[in-house]
Amino acid sequence: MTEPKVFPPLTIPETLAAGPGPGNTDARVLAAFANAGLADHMQADVLRGMIESKLMLRSLWGTRNIHTYGVGGTGFSGLDVMLNAILPGDKVVAFVNGTFSGIDGLTIRMKAATREELAASPMDPRPASVTIVTIPHGQSIGAETIDRALAEQKPKWAFMAHWETGSGRINDIRAFSDACLKHGAMGLVDAVSSLGIADFAIDDYPGVVGWASCPQKGVLCLPLTYAPVSFADRYIDEIRKTGCASYVHHPILEARHWGVIDGKDVPAPAYHRTHSGYAVAAFHEALRLTLIHGLAQKARDYAFHEKALSAAVTAMGCTVTSNMTSLVVLNLPPSLAGREKELVQNCRAVGFGIWPTLSEPVQVRIGILNQITRPAITGIVTRFGAALADMGAEIDMAGVLAGLDRHYQAAMAAE
Ligand SMILES: *Cc1c(COP(=O)(O)O)cnc(C)c1O
């Protein structure tokens, strides 16, 4: 007999999550998680919390879609529910401009593949019915590209990421929605990075019938909770006709536990699977905090602080290629080119959690989720500048910080 292997209790340090996500969860959300009592998934207050969360999610997302709720898990869990509408042989056009839309494209290819196509290349199928339109890393997907592809293909489904976190680019969701309407496609959108940061309302985009987001970016609720999804009636009607090859990730069945049955809000939810009262309490608190801050104000705050960070790293000699407001994607100064991963490792080793890009080309990503204050941005700028200097870059830190001061002073003067 070998001794059972028991490890000491796990300690995880608090780091500064200054990447694309997750963001540091608000202490009030963590408290809601830890202070919830143990109650089963059909207990009245757990169910009330789910129904209230559903209603708050509709406010946050600006939609009257009845099928708006959370999917237990991460962003890809919500995306899986949304993409489950795609059946083998379905005609799809997917626009890809970075890591995450690339993975979504893979999911789409797996779901749209026939049995033969899947068996021919099980991990990376290339179904004839799917067109992947690839836009170079660092560029946004624009109206002309979208319109041309949908006009040519006339697909049943079209897919795009709203904000592509891999390259830090915002894609043209207005053009996407319009082109879907014009060419008779049903639009599906990965809104993992934009929900809770961009000031937009689902109901302004009638060409998009499915939306999927995540818990840990703009909504700031990492204690593994719920990936928000929202589906228009057109999407739900389609699933009712075609069916869907999943019980747990079924867009209609999953909604029952949130009190959506037969297309209507009902006061008494039905069991779908076991939900955690802790997760419900945390998710509820995260939604409350976001709505209290106000989406429009939050969007302005992100834009303002991202501008400050972007100007500061530019003053250090970096080149910013992103246009998202929660994330700066940059090339290092020419003297440090090629040493991106080393720099990121150095930063991460001291609890400053920045990221490289996950697909080519290698760039550095610095995020500001939940760091939208002057001291927080100043801290990030100081740590990043020090890391560059440690690797031999000549940084005029006093000049960089003076520039940062001017950004904030000008804002204060304008108020
Ligand atoms: C982070 C991200 C994902 C993946 O989300 P997980 O929570 O890691 O599953 C998908 N799409 C986009 C655009 C993202 O930013």
Side-chain angles (χ1 to χ4, degrees), residues 262-284:
D262 290 333
K264 288 193 252 332
D265 283 323
V266 297
Y271 169 75
H272 181 64
R273 55 166 156 164
T274 303
H275 287 270
S276 147
Y278 311 122
V280 169
F283 188 54
H284 188 276

Side-chain angles (χ1 to χ4, degrees), residues 138-178:
Q139 292 181 24
S140 294
I141 303 166
E144 231 175 272
T145 307
I146 298 168
D147 191 74
R148 196 179 329 119
L150 298 194
E152 253 170 48
Q153 300 293 332
K154 300 266 183 218
K156 175 176 181 182
W157 305 103
F159 169 86
M160 190 174 80
H162 186 191
W163 288 17
E164 170 50 78
T165 326
S167 53
R169 299 297 304 187
I170 296 177
N171 294 323
D172 190 341
I173 198 78
R174 167 63 53 211
F176 181 75
S177 173
D178 290 351

Side-chain angles (χ1 to χ4, degrees), residues 74-76 79 100 163 165 190 192-193 214 216-217:
T74 70
F76 284 130
L79 282 156
F100 294 102
W163 288 17
T165 326
D190 173 341
V192 166
S193 252
C214 83
Q216 79 278 14
K217 287 175 180 157

Side-chain angles (χ1 to χ4, degrees), residues 196-244:
I197 298 169
D199 186 12
F200 74 102
I202 281 183
D203 289 357
D204 292 339
Y205 300 93
V208 181
V209 299
W211 302 78
S213 190
C214 83
Q216 79 278 14
K217 287 175 180 157
V219 175
L220 290 161
C221 196
L222 180 63
L224 194 60
T225 59
Y226 292 104
V229 291
S230 183
F231 305 115
D233 289 346
R234 269 204 297 148
Y235 172 102
I236 295 296
D237 291 345
E238 191 61 27
I239 297 261
R240 278 192 207 290
K241 272 203 313 244
T242 62
C244 157

Side-chain angles (χ1 to χ4, degrees), residues 11 60 186 232 242-243 281 373:
T11 310
L60 179 61
M186 286 186 282
T242 62
T373 64

